[in-house]
Amino acid sequence: MKLDAKIPEGPLAEKWTKHKFNLKLVNPANKRKYDIIVVGTGLAGASAAASLAELGYNVKAFTFHDSPRRAHSIAAQGGINAAKNYQNDGDSVYRLFYDTVKGGDYRAREGNVYRLAEVSVNIIDQCVAQGVPFAREYGGLLANRSFGGAQVSRTFYARGQTGQQLLLGAYSAMSRQVANGKIKLYTRTEMLDLVMVDGRARGIITRNLITGQIEKHSGHAVLLCTGGYGNVFYLSTNAMGCNVTAAWRAHKKGAFFGNPCFTQIHPTCIPVSGEYQSKLTLMSESLRNDGRVWVPKKAGDTRKPEDIPEAERDYFLERRYPSFGNLVPRDVASRNAKYVCDEGRGVGNTKMAVYLDFADAIKRDSEKVISAKYGNLFDMYEKITGENPYKTPMRIYPAVHYTMGGLWVDYNLMTTIPGCYALGEANFSDHGANRLGASALMQGLADGYFVIPYTIGDYLATLPAAKVDTTHAAFTEAEKAVIDSIKRLLSINGTKTVDQFHKELGKIMWDYCGMSRHAEGLKGAKAKIRALKEEFWQNVKVLGVNEELNQTLEKASRVADFIELGELMVEDALQRNESCGGHFREEFQTEDGEAKRDDANYAYVAAWEYKGYNQPEELHKEDLIFENVKLTQRSYK
Amino acid sequence: MKLTLKIWRQKHANDKGKLVDYNVDINPEMSFLEMLDDLNEKLAERGEEPIAFDHDCREGICGTCNLYINGRPHGPIRTTTCQLHMRHFHEGESIVIEPWRARSFPVVKDLIVDRSAFDRIVQAGGYISVNTGSAPDANEIPIPKQIADEAFNSAACIACGACVAACKNASAMLFVGAQISKFALVPQGKAEKKIRAEKMVAQMDAEGFGACTNTGACSAECPVEISMTNIARLNREYIGAKLTSDNV
Ligand SMILES: Cc1cc2nc3c(=O)[nH]c(=O)nc-3n(C[C@H](O)[C@H](O)[C@H](O)COP(=O)(O)OP(=O)(O)OC[C@H]3O[C@@H](n4cnc5c(N)ncnc54)[C@H](O)[C@@H]3O)c2cc1C
Ligand code: FES
């Protein structure tokens, strides 16, 4: 199969406008004849469901949460980018486009990224009209701040709770359509398979998480808006329920998986404190605007931070990157923290942490000013660690945060399965090998509010309105497969818990496919994951029955998919013999330890095709063509 | 740290349910939910069914976690259950863990309840009617910072339901007040002000939530400090709407 990204011809700035004009339309009276299945109701799913329902389509929306408002999007703290240039500081659509392509280390499509930057301005308008309470200046206009790696102030925010407010906006738009009868909402319902009829996505199989009932749903198109897969690492900043199941099951039905090894490690998280730890907490990276990152110069220094004199501290980011200092992109900041800890200069009990110090900022601006900016984050830190960051520096360490990889999609957001789309973090995204701060919220909402409402019509217009009945053999077969796999999980009755498997997988992934990777380690990891998979299917212990609320069963089926995904991530990391963005291969670095890309050989999207259980997947390459941006070595010196 | 946990176990909505004792020995650095994770691992190893409880972000923002701990929603300090740490308890303590108790939040299993009534209240009118694509430029609607901040304070509600659980009448006035206030305060929300108040209150009543007697337990227990002024504003909005309209 030949990959066709369907990027429109023509000058960059005109691609999307022209494309919108060329897309086929479904006439208003016909829209109500089409049923669209939206799986996931986070930012991407809720915005898509609301917008499509407003257009007149019948939407069925599914979430495993008890309410759309609980989606993981709610946890985003820092903000959302948009090229409004309200600050008159030189921002523009082109600059946002350029920063995103560069920040992604030149592994994203120009056409997609430009469109993202272009519609970013509409997102802010839409959200404000919905009543989203963004931060404002005294004059009543919107406030902005600069955010991780950007030299202009283009980030809109709502205290440290931007994701919450944006999600509530999309949720309210969606709720309005539920009341209108245009969206039928299924909560606590998990998608477990995609149904294919004549080579097209025509429905899904779900499990009702309260009764265990397996249900069949038919539609003309299926949108997967199911978020990222950071929890493959067990410990991450993702919510506990985040998983890859929907995307993975679609992958097994023919949707290619793009750049699975591109994961983002966020530099400012509260460090791991013990074995029992269930998740990691992110401290918004806006903190790096005022906090200074340091470790003692001497390895094994056990003095309290306040007892270490200025001259014996190493502000390693400021030292190595004088022009960006503490604001270098996430991957650079994370890797450097790892290096100093590997040198034995880490701090805290576990020695796997660095300081983020606000003493200078408090001296400069007063405690009041700092508290107005970061009060809730400081409180959260104190609640978790029992330490007061106004008095003593925070301890931070990198943690898995975001997955740039995901289902491969074309310019229309369609996967390689006709009629199956992927939006938000679930697709392989516009962020290339590294995502800039405040750009995920932007992308999720761009996909849902402003891209899919146009592109889906082009597909539906060619599709007969006739519905496929759920009595069709394809539905019965998919249903049976789901029931069989649940039965199998419940019948193993082994000795090891689901969490034990998940933890083991997470450790393998973190050690060999985390912040830095090398071929030997990856090869070893491959064998380890394969063995873990064998053991899982022989020895996992899943108690209870299907016909009830069974959280262990839910988790077991997700972990089974994570294990298979882990294998593919390692494979992907192994084939990419270069370092770029979040993918750092130790064999490929410059003399001073920076990532060394290989544009001649690796300027492509790796799209993987599933070939059957335990079969090697087939790699397809989509070459990335840069007509506007010149590829340079990223430098933040 | 040794503790005795008395945990509500209930197989399904129609089961009677009872408190069951569990003795645990834990690391005091754990969070409350990590303690339950740990207990669940041990139960699973012994072949006993783990305790079902709701949680997701574990950062105090999604509003999913909801345990009634020693007679207080989210336990002894003002926070969400997921942000509660075991250092707030002492050696040998006995801790009673129950689900939210309210007629409108039926128990689903063990510690999990059904809070979909909140969604239905929002569906009744908790939105501004603006279709995608029809918004004016964001800075065409200036909003004084003070008003924007106040609206934010109401919008910060995480819909955990602690207010309902804390109230002896299981009233949802604080939740509904916060939803109404965040829109009533800003210019974009003014057009639908009246009908919103009427519809949301009607739905609240239909869901069977109790009446408000202004004792303030809801706000005192709210992990994100939604204030009583939201209830006062709701009353004002509702009475104002009822006096002048015949919508509902
Ligand atoms: C702590 C944290 C802070 C962040 N801060 C920022 C920030 O400041 N700025 C920024 O731009 N980005 C930020 N991000 C990233 C951003 O929040 C996410 O990438 C984005 O919100 C993802 O949105 P989504 O709609 O794609 O997925 P999600 O919000 O994760 O939604 C997924 C949805 O899919 C549903 N679902 C999943 N699987 C199934 C299934 N099998 N069946 C049924 N339903 C399913 C879930 O129930 C949910 O409704 C942050 C991320 C984290 C972890
Ligand atoms: S788990 Fe999200 S608020 Fe507690």
Side-chain angles (χ1 to χ4, degrees):
Chain A
M1 170 171 179
K2 178 98 184 65
L3 281 176
D4 181 3
K6 304 210 171 92
I7 301 165
E9 296 291 320
L12 189 62
E14 289 165 28
K15 283 184 196 290
W16 178 230
T17 311
K18 272 203 186 145
H19 190 63
K20 279 194 286 190
F21 181 73
N22 290 331
L23 289 169
K24 290 185 234 25
L25 298 173
V26 178
N27 95 42
N30 278 343
K31 289 203 175 86
R32 77 175 84 93
K33 295 183 188 150
Y34 291 97
D35 300 333
I36 299 175
I37 291 174
V38 178
V39 188
T41 52
L43 281 180
S47 58
S51 306
L52 294 170
E54 286 162 10
L55 286 171
Y57 295 110
N58 305 312
V59 176
K60 281 182 165 189
F62 297 83
T63 166
F64 68 74
H65 286 99
D66 71 327
S67 161
R69 63 172 298 146
R70 313 262 187 237
H72 168 60
S73 293
I74 201 123
Q77 303 170 349
I80 176 166
N81 288 331
K84 281 285 196 185
N85 193 30
Y86 281 160
Q87 306 307 322
N88 196 31
D89 59 356
D91 199 14
S92 61
V93 167
Y94 195 86
R95 188 178 296 280
L96 176 52
F97 151 76
Y98 179 84
D99 287 355
T100 307
V101 170
K102 177 186 174 203
D105 223 358
Y106 309 100
R107 292 295 174 263
R109 287 183 197 140
E110 283 191 342
N112 285 52
V113 176
Y114 193 88
R115 173 178 67 190
L116 176 63
E118 201 177 332
V119 303
S120 70
V121 297
N122 306 112
I123 296 173
I124 303 302
D125 298 343
Q126 188 62 33
C127 295
V128 166
Q130 289 167 346
V132 170
F134 283 121
R136 290 181 182 263
E137 306 290 356
Y138 282 99
L141 300 182
L142 292 160
N144 290 117
R145 62 181 169 207
S146 90
F147 205 70
Q151 287 177 311
V152 292
S153 287
R154 63 159 76 97
T155 304
F156 293 78
Y157 61 101
R159 288 197 202 149
Q161 286 152 248
T162 316
Q164 177 195 32
Q165 295 308 321
L166 295 174
L167 182 61
L168 294 184
Y171 161 71
S172 70
M174 192 181 162
S175 297
R176 175 172 160 240
Q177 296 306 323
V178 173
N180 270 347
K182 290 307 288 182
I183 297 181
K184 193 157 166 25
L185 175 62
Y186 297 80
T187 57
R188 291 203 201 260
T189 305
E190 181 165 21
M191 165 186 164
L192 291 179
D193 212 352
L194 184 71
V195 180
M196 306 274 296
V197 177
D198 301 331
R200 297 172 188 269
R202 289 310 296 260
I204 59 171
I205 306 292
T206 60
R207 176 169 181 271
N208 177 318
L209 299 184
I210 295 178
T211 62
Q213 190 157 346
I214 304 299
E215 287 157 2
K216 300 174 279 191
H217 299 273
S218 159
H220 295 88
V222 176
L223 275 49
L224 301 178
C225 315
T226 46
Y229 51 84
N231 279 347
V232 66
F233 290 88
Y234 186 74
L235 284 181
S236 85
T237 64
N238 287 194
M240 302 294 286
C242 292
N243 70 87
V244 77
T245 290
W248 192 253
R249 308 243 166 138
H251 175 56
K252 289 176 135 179
K253 287 282 168 88
F256 291 6
F257 211 102
N259 297 332
C261 83
F262 286 174
T263 41
Q264 180 166 77
I265 315 273
H266 196 292
T268 51
C269 303
I270 300 178
V272 178
S273 60
E275 262 300 303
Y276 52 82
Q277 190 120 2
S278 57
K279 78 154 286 193
L280 296 172
T281 302
L282 171 83
M283 303 301 297
S284 167
E285 112 185 282
S286 60
L287 292 168
R288 285 199 279 144
N289 284 329
D290 286 295
R292 299 180 69 195
V293 177
W294 65 276
V295 289
K297 281 193 176 154
K298 213 169 56 208
D301 193 334
T302 52
R303 287 175 291 177
K304 288 215 243 37
E306 45 276 21
D307 296 338
I308 302 179
E310 208 47 42
E312 292 172 48
R313 300 176 175 192
D314 178 14
Y315 294 89
F316 55 93
L317 292 177
E318 296 171 21
R319 172 171 59 79
R320 293 195 59 183
Y321 308 95
S323 74
F324 277 70
N326 295 297
L327 292 175
V328 290
R330 294 174 173 177
D331 54 330
V332 179
S334 296
R335 216 155 38 237
N336 279 282
K338 177 182 183 327
Y339 292 152
V340 295
C341 292
D342 289 350
E343 288 162 20
R345 299 197 286 143
V347 301
N349 284 341
T350 59
K351 300 281 165 224
M352 291 305 271
V354 301
Y355 289 129
L356 179 64
D357 196 336
F358 291 87
D360 288 342
I362 290 172
K363 230 180 281 160
R364 185 187 64 220
D365 296 341
S366 83
E367 188 165 318
K368 196 161 154 245
V369 170
I370 295 300
S371 146
K373 277 196 197 164
Y374 309 114
N376 64 331
L377 296 170
F378 278 38
D379 290 350
M380 181 163 90
Y381 182 84
E382 184 165 5
K383 262 183 198 155
I384 294 175
T385 63
E387 287 173 7
N388 177 353
Y390 293 103
K391 302 271 174 290
T392 186
M394 286 183 178
R395 282 172 296 109
I396 55 165
Y397 198 67
V400 173
H401 178 58
Y402 182 86
T403 49
M404 281 77 68
L407 293 176
W408 182 92
V409 289
D410 64 16
Y411 190 73
N412 295 323
L413 303 181
M414 202 195 283
T415 66
T416 48
I417 298 177
C420 177
Y421 293 79
L423 283 66
E425 194 174 336
N427 69 27
F428 86 101
S429 94
D430 303 339
H431 309 292
N434 175 52
R435 174 175 72 76
L436 291 182
S439 287
L441 301 180
M442 168 174 75
Q443 182 229 330
L445 290 180
D447 289 357
Y449 283 135
F450 296 110
V451 179
I452 197 72
Y454 292 90
T455 58
I456 203 166
D458 192 56
Y459 172 73
L460 295 175
T462 62
L463 197 70
K467 301 184 197 252
V468 176
D469 198 84
T470 54
T471 51
H472 189 286
F475 276 93
T476 332
E477 270 166 40
E479 180 191 33
K480 183 171 179 303
V482 165
I483 293 173
D484 287 349
S485 108
I486 290 174
K487 278 195 186 139
R488 192 168 160 214
L489 281 171
L490 286 166
S491 68
I492 298 169
N493 200 12
T495 60
K496 227 157 116 173
T497 66
V498 177
D499 263 1
Q500 283 168 343
F501 281 101
H502 196 179
K503 280 186 190 172
E504 269 181 50
L505 173 69
K507 187 158 168 26
I508 299 171
M509 297 305 291
W510 180 246
D511 287 347
Y512 302 104
C513 200
M515 256 189 288
S516 93
R517 306 149 175 195
H518 57 83
E520 277 317 297
L522 288 165
K523 282 182 196 148
K526 227 169 103 172
K528 287 193 169 91
I529 299 173
R530 187 55 78 85
L532 193 69
K533 184 163 74 177
E534 299 296 317
E535 193 194 346
F536 179 90
W537 287 105
Q538 277 161 20
N539 197 24
V540 72
K541 181 175 200 147
V542 186
L543 297 166
V545 296
N546 174 59
E547 289 71 25
E548 63 176 352
L549 189 150
N550 186 339
Q551 292 176 317
T552 320
L553 176 61
E554 290 165 28
K555 208 161 175 215
S557 103
R558 294 173 190 167
V559 170
D561 292 337
F562 274 140
I563 295 176
E564 293 183 16
L565 166 75
E567 232 179 322
L568 183 65
M569 288 171 70
V570 165
E571 194 63 51
D572 188 43
L574 201 51
Q575 65 82 25
R576 194 169 276 280
N577 289 316
E578 64 162 351
S579 293
C580 60
H583 170 67
F584 190 80
R585 281 279 302 272
E586 289 169 18
E587 307 95 308
F588 308 100
Q589 50 183 308
T590 62
E591 264 168 25
D592 47 359
E594 301 299 335
K596 196 159 139 201
R597 283 197 331 264
D598 177 355
D599 295 329
N601 295 303
Y602 291 93
Y604 61 71
V605 177
W608 295 90
E609 181 181 4
Y610 187 77
K611 288 287 185 186
Y613 190 72
N614 273 349
Q615 298 302 311
E617 299 216 1
E618 185 180 341
L619 173 63
H620 300 261
K621 297 176 183 175
E622 178 203 333
D623 288 325
L624 292 166
I625 297 154
F626 295 91
E627 292 168 336
N628 300 276
V629 171
K630 203 169 141 284
L631 276 61
T632 54
Q633 202 64 40
R634 275 190 324 166
S635 169
Y636 294 93
K637 293 258 169 194
Chain B
M1 187 175 184
K2 288 199 171 64
L3 299 164
T4 306
L5 308 177
K6 297 177 178 302
I7 302 178
W8 186 258
R9 301 300 310 254
Q10 179 173 341
K11 279 222 62 87
H12 48 75
N14 303 320
D15 182 28
K16 257 184 68 185
K18 60 170 190 295
L19 286 171
V20 176
D21 281 9
Y22 298 92
N23 293 314
V24 296
D25 188 358
I26 58 142
N27 179 332
E29 285 299 308
M30 285 178 173
S31 73
F32 199 88
L33 295 185
E34 282 165 355
M35 170 186 74
L36 290 183
D37 291 341
D38 192 57
L39 172 59
N40 272 346
E41 275 296 279
K42 300 212 165 93
L43 291 180
E45 279 162 21
R46 297 206 296 258
E48 290 175 42
E49 223 197 308
I51 300 146
F53 62 95
D54 257 337
H55 64 99
D56 198 29
C57 74
R58 299 207 174 183
E59 291 191 7
I61 190 74
C62 71
T64 312
C65 62
N66 56 337
L67 300 180
Y68 199 68
I69 302 165
N70 284 344
R72 292 182 65 184
H74 298 305
I77 60 164
R78 196 175 187 180
T79 185
T80 54
T81 304
C82 61
Q83 296 291 287
L84 176 64
H85 282 73
M86 296 317 292
R87 53 178 174 272
H88 297 287
F89 296 86
H90 52 78
E91 179 66 40
E93 200 174 333
S94 211
I95 306 175
V96 183
I97 309 172
E98 295 168 274
W100 278 181
R101 302 276 186 203
R103 184 157 47 116
S104 313
F105 290 161
V107 173
V108 173
K109 181 177 184 177
D110 294 342
L111 301 168
I112 296 183
V113 300
D114 175 356
R115 286 169 286 184
S116 53
F118 274 6
D119 280 335
R120 289 188 294 272
I121 294 174
V122 171
Q123 286 154 16
Y127 45 77
I128 290 171
S129 300
V130 52
N131 281 1
T132 303
S134 56
D137 183 85
N139 260 351
E140 275 180 30
I141 319 171
I143 304 175
K145 182 170 168 15
Q146 192 202 335
I147 305 268
D149 285 349
E150 214 179 322
F152 182 95
N153 289 341
S154 301
C157 167
I158 59 174
C160 63
C163 47
V164 175
C167 176
K168 61 182 182 344
N169 304 329
S171 164
M173 284 290 275
L174 191 66
F175 168 76
V176 178
Q179 310 310 309
I180 284 187
S181 293
K182 71 175 181 185
F183 294 126
L185 281 162
V186 294
Q188 308 93 298
K190 294 274 196 286
E192 293 165 291
K193 208 160 107 94
K194 287 182 185 169
I195 189 157
R196 179 181 306 120
E198 286 179 279
K199 283 188 166 177
M200 290 179 82
V201 169
Q203 187 64 35
M204 173 180 87
D205 293 342
E207 296 289 348
F209 288 104
C212 172
T213 47
N214 260 309
T215 49
C218 51
S219 179
E221 296 287 13
C222 173
V224 294
E225 306 182 19
I226 301 295
S227 78
M228 291 297 282
T229 49
N230 288 285
I231 295 187
R233 193 176 296 105
L234 167 56
N235 283 326
R236 255 194 334 269
E237 294 289 328
Y238 181 68
I239 292 164
K242 271 292 172 214
L243 286 177
T244 55
S245 104
D246 48 12
N247 282 321
V248 183

